[in-house]
């Protein structure tokens, strides 16, 4: 009888130790993944802040209405077209104005279709100093115009309903 009890207790103890080790390993792996993700996010944020620290940005909401749309203008001082585009995309990464834009600014006229969200993004250069990006949504359109002046890039964003 004592031997059966001994084996039963040993089996329970071994089972509990294995579960604790598995749980500990899973928690450690999850913690490592969170730390890696957090580090990557902090690195991207620092890079973005460094880029923004060198570029002064002034934005003005110009208002609007449902018939003509709503306009916002931002001036990126001491930035080239690529820097202004990257900053605009980063600043708007959480909304539709930024999340559908290409990671790198296309060098030529380009159209990108996001079939899963039914959104089309058109990049059209009217000159080497002017680019219009049209985001065509099922419920409206956003037109983003980047224009280079002497030492600034002006980005006008017009949100228009259907």
């Amino acid at each position: 009888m004592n031997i059966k009890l001994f084996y039963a207790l040993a089996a329970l103890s071994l089972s509990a130790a294995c579960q604790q080790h598995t749980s500990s390993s899973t928690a450690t792996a999850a913690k490592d993944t969170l730390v890696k993700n957090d580090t990557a996010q902090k690195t991207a944020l620092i890079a973005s802040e460094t880029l923004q620290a060198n570029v002064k940005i002034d934005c003005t909401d110009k208002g609007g209405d449902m018939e003509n749309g709503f306009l916002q203008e931002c001036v990126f001082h001491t930035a080239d077209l690529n820097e202004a585009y990257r900053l605009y995309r980063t600043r708007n990464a959480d909304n539709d104005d930024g999340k559908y834009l290409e990671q790198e600014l296309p060098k030529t006229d380009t159209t990108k279709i996001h079939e899963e969200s039914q959104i089309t993004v058109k990049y059209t250069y009217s000159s080497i100093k002017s680019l219009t990006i049209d985001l065509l949504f099922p419920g409206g359109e956003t037109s983003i115009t980047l224009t280079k002046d002497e030492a600034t890039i002006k980005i006008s964003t017009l949100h228009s309903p259907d």
Side-chain angles (χ1 to χ4, degrees):
M1 185 85 164
N2 278 342
I3 291 226
K4 285 183 182 180
L5 183 60
F6 173 75
Y7 283 121
L9 287 174
L12 282 173
S13 177
L14 184 59
S15 174
C18 286
Q19 284 178 348
Q20 184 179 7
H21 177 71
T22 301
S23 162
S24 174
S25 296
T26 303
T28 300
K31 182 180 175 187
D32 288 346
T33 301
L34 288 174
V35 168
K36 286 178 187 174
N37 288 343
D38 189 44
T39 301
Q41 287 174 345
K42 284 180 182 175
T43 302
L45 183 61
I46 289 168
S48 174
E49 287 173 354
T50 300
L51 188 54
Q52 284 182 348
N54 298 328
V55 177
K56 182 181 176 204
I57 303 169
D58 295 315
C59 292
T60 306
D61 282 318
K62 298 289 187 169
D65 55 44
M66 289 300 287
E67 187 174 320
N68 299 308
F70 297 90
L71 179 65
Q72 179 188 52
E73 292 181 346
C74 293
V75 177
F76 292 71
H77 302 273
T78 68
D80 65 21
L81 207 58
N82 286 315
E83 285 175 315
Y85 176 82
R86 278 194 301 271
L87 286 169
Y88 181 87
R89 187 177 169 277
T90 301
R91 291 166 53 102
N92 292 284
D94 293 336
N95 63 46
D96 291 341
D97 292 351
K99 71 181 174 183
Y100 294 105
L101 298 180
E102 294 295 301
Q103 184 142 359
E104 293 295 321
L105 181 62
K107 303 293 183 211
T108 60
D109 292 357
T110 304
T111 299
K112 174 75 174 172
I113 299 171
H114 298 271
E115 291 180 20
E116 70 283 350
S117 54
Q118 300 178 340
I119 294 172
T120 301
V121 182
K122 292 182 180 181
Y123 294 82
T124 308
Y125 285 90
S126 56
S127 73
I128 59 172
K129 294 184 175 186
S130 182
L131 166 69
T132 299
I133 305 167
D134 291 311
L135 290 101
L136 307 170
F137 300 95
E141 178 180 342
T142 297
S143 181
I144 305 165
T145 305
L146 292 83
T147 308
K148 176 149 182 57
D149 289 334
E150 290 181 26
T152 65
I153 300 291
K154 178 180 170 184
I155 300 181
S156 301
T157 306
L158 179 63
H159 297 274
S160 301
D162 240 356

